[in-house]
Amino acid sequence: IVVSYTVEAVVRQFSLAEAGTVDEGTIFVQTSSVADGICIDARDNLYVACEGVEIFAPEGSQLGVIVLPEQPSNSTFGVGDGRTLFVSA
């Protein structure tokens, strides 16, 4: 489970136990600014709405940033082939 912590500008990763409980979690990635909405693509890359949309590989390395004219609040992939990223600001 991954959860964005907006004010801390981090995304934390939690393990889920069989009983449905979660552990204390660890910081998965640090973002450049507020970490808002998140989504994951078909290759398990993490997209985080920040000052743009920051993209992280499954192991946490940053792959790139989608620069936008306004600060985004959330993003999601469209249905079908999953190649269209919709972003709200």
Side-chain angles (χ1 to χ4, degrees), residues 63-84:
L63 298 174
V65 178
I66 301 170
V67 178
L68 299 167
E70 294 183 42
Q71 184 169 342
S73 58
N74 210 344
S75 62
T76 190
F77 284 92
V79 296
D81 64 5
R83 294 176 50 118
T84 303

Side-chain angles (χ1 to χ4, degrees), residues 13-77:
Q13 180 175 329
F14 299 88
S15 295
L16 181 62
E18 272 190 50
T21 58
V22 295
D23 62 12
E24 292 185 21
T26 58
I27 293 177
F28 179 62
V29 296
Q30 176 84 41
T31 59
S32 64
S33 67
V34 297
D36 211 350
I38 58 176
C39 67
I40 297 174
D41 69 13
R43 294 185 173 146
D44 291 334
N45 296 316
L46 176 70
Y47 292 68
V48 185
C50 299
E51 299 246 341
V53 177
E54 297 184 11
I55 308 163
F56 297 91
E59 77 280 348
S61 64
Q62 188 173 29
L63 298 174
V65 178
I66 301 170
V67 178
L68 299 167
E70 294 183 42
Q71 184 169 342
S73 58
N74 210 344
S75 62
T76 190
F77 284 92

